[in-house]
Amino acid sequence: MAPIPGAGLAKGLAVTLRTMTRKTVTEQYPDVQPELPPRTRGVIGLFEENCTVCMLCARECPDWCIYIDSHKETVPAAVEGGRERSRNVLDRFAIDFALCMYCGICIEVCPFDALFWSPEFEYAETDIHELTHERDRLREWMWTVPAPPALDPAAEEPKELAAARKAADKLAAAQAAAAEEPTPGEPTPGEPAPGEEGPA
């Protein structure tokens, strides 16, 4: 069957008319803030207390946009006769967001949970040099990091929790068994005490 001339134009106009009669759903940013998903890659927050200056994030960053400076401090011995220890102290932690490609490798490789994604994205600057955020600014982003999502109730229990629960159950069973065992010299239930006569 031959196509009707102008059928495609009529279909296109019908779609246009349907769309024109619908209510718009445009969010008027910045008056209306968008609802971002919890795993939005906005900006990186730094939890400084967890940072051990291991430099993994800076070494793994493909853009080399993380700058870390530190110095060593000597920690006195905790007990008498012990030896002094040295530890790294963070002096500078900065991320250049003009170079960052938001791959998240630094957050993934951090073994001490010092870096987190924050859904904040409003940090545009008029000067590109202002996009290098120092640790004080990164610390401010930390307070906007959302709580981790709840665990899936149908998910398999983590191996660490299962092992810990098994050890706790075993310890509780051993303690219960020890509590039930009579102490030496103590009569068992239904047995006469020493010096007492049993039923005639």
Side-chain angles (χ1 to χ4, degrees):
M1 182 177 178
I4 300 171
L9 177 63
K11 284 183 181 178
L13 288 174
V15 171
T16 302
L17 288 172
R18 277 201 309 271
T19 307
M20 286 175 62
T21 55
R22 288 182 189 158
K23 186 178 179 181
T24 59
V25 290
T26 304
E27 293 180 344
Q28 300 299 328
Y29 178 82
D31 298 326
V32 178
Q33 292 292 322
E35 291 185 12
L36 300 172
R39 297 182 68 185
T40 298
R41 296 185 177 193
V43 74
I44 298 169
L46 170 69
F47 191 55
E48 192 176 327
E49 286 78 0
N50 284 359
C51 182
T52 60
V53 199
C54 66
M55 305 291 288
L56 268 176
C57 54
R59 283 199 298 262
E60 297 295 330
C61 177
D63 292 331
W64 290 76
C65 65
I66 300 176
Y67 312 114
I68 300 174
D69 292 328
S70 66
H71 69 275
K72 287 192 178 292
E73 277 186 1
T74 303
V75 180
V79 295
E80 189 177 344
R83 66 185 178 97
E84 294 179 339
R85 306 271 180 179
S86 63
R87 68 182 179 96
N88 290 324
V89 178
L90 187 66
D91 293 328
R92 182 189 186 211
F93 194 108
I95 299 177
D96 186 354
F97 285 100
L99 295 176
C100 180
M101 65 178 184
Y102 304 90
C103 63
I105 291 175
C106 57
I107 295 170
E108 295 295 328
V109 300
C110 180
F112 302 105
D113 289 335
L115 297 172
F116 296 88
W117 279 120
S118 166
E120 295 294 324
F121 61 92
E122 298 175 309
Y123 51 94
E125 303 286 350
T126 54
D127 186 358
I128 196 170
H129 297 99
E130 298 296 322
L131 283 172
T132 301
H133 293 177
E134 297 292 335
R135 64 180 180 175
D136 296 333
R137 183 99 185 263
L138 296 175
R139 175 65 177 220
E140 291 174 12
W141 296 120
M142 192 61 216
W143 309 124
T144 60
V145 172
L151 296 175
D152 184 356
E156 186 178 325
E157 186 179 44
K159 293 177 182 176
E160 297 84 1
L161 281 180
R165 184 170 287 109
K166 186 177 179 182
D169 292 344
K170 190 175 180 182
L171 180 63
Q175 289 175 345
E180 289 177 3
E181 287 181 6
T183 55
E186 186 177 307
T188 55
E191 186 179 301
E196 289 183 7
E197 294 182 4

